[in-house]
Amino acid sequence: MTLLRLTSPVPGVVRPLSAVPDEVFAGEMVGPGVALEPDRNGRQDVLAPCDGVVGALHPHAFALELDDGRGVLVHVGIDTVTLAGLGFDLRVERGQRVRAGQVVLTWSPVDVAAAGLSTMCPVIALQGDPAAVTSSVADGDHVDAGQALLEWAPAP
C-alpha cells in the first residue's frame, strides 16, 4: 500500500464528520473522513475522489474499490435515498474503472435542500484506521472539486 490522496468530489466547505446529521457518519461507524457542505449553485458534477473500480453504486452514493483492497465511500446528501434517485443522474456503471476527477454522477444540492434534506456529503475511508487518515484542509475551508482533501496512510 502507498499513501492515498483523495480529492474533493464536489466544491464546498469542509466540515468534520461529527457535523453530519446522521449518527452512522458522525460516529465514524463506517470509517474516518470529512464532510463537505456543497456549494448550492444548481446542478453539480460529483467526481471520483481517487482511481478505483465502482463497487456499490446508487443514485445518491457510491463506493470505489481500490487495487490495494481499500475502499472509499462518497455519500451525496443525507437521507437522499428517500428521493429514490429523483434529481440524480448516474454517469458510470457498477464495475467500471474510474480515474480521480471523473464524473460519477450529477445532482442538484438546491433541489435536495428544497426537499428539506441535508446536502452534506461525507467522504469516508471505509474501515480505515482513524490515525491513518488526515485532512489536507482545515475545517471551514472552501475546496474546489478535484482539490486535495484527505490523505490515507498505509497500514503500518
Side-chain angles (χ1 to χ4, degrees):
M1 275 192 222
T2 59
L3 178 69
L4 176 63
R5 290 186 172 89
L6 301 174
T7 59
S8 181
V10 295
V13 176
V14 176
R15 297 291 183 214
L17 285 179
S18 61
V20 176
D22 181 303
E23 66 184 49
V24 171
F25 296 115
E28 299 188 9
M29 293 179 197
V30 291
V34 296
L36 295 152
E37 182 59 54
D39 295 347
R40 293 184 186 174
N41 53 6
R43 291 204 61 81
Q44 185 178 89
D45 291 333
V46 179
L47 310 180
C50 59
D51 296 349
V53 174
V54 179
L57 179 64
H58 305 278
H60 63 281
F62 61 92
L64 299 179
E65 299 169 351
L66 285 60
D67 292 340
D68 63 9
R70 291 183 280 186
V72 175
L73 171 70
V74 176
H75 202 280
V76 185
I78 301 300
D79 293 330
T80 44
V81 67
T82 61
L83 298 174
L86 186 64
F88 294 82
D89 296 312
L90 295 175
R91 302 292 188 83
V92 298
E93 296 180 4
R94 186 173 182 190
Q96 182 178 338
R97 180 168 292 279
V98 295
R99 304 286 301 187
Q102 184 173 340
V103 177
V104 176
L105 63 94
T106 303
W107 73 313
S108 170
V110 173
D111 292 345
V112 168
L117 301 173
S118 169
T119 59
M120 293 280 271
C121 296
V123 180
I124 306 294
L126 289 171
Q127 305 304 319
D129 177 352
V133 178
T134 57
S135 180
S136 303
V137 290
D139 176 29
D141 283 357
H142 184 275
V143 294
D144 293 324
Q147 184 177 335
L149 185 65
L150 290 171
E151 290 187 343
W152 188 355

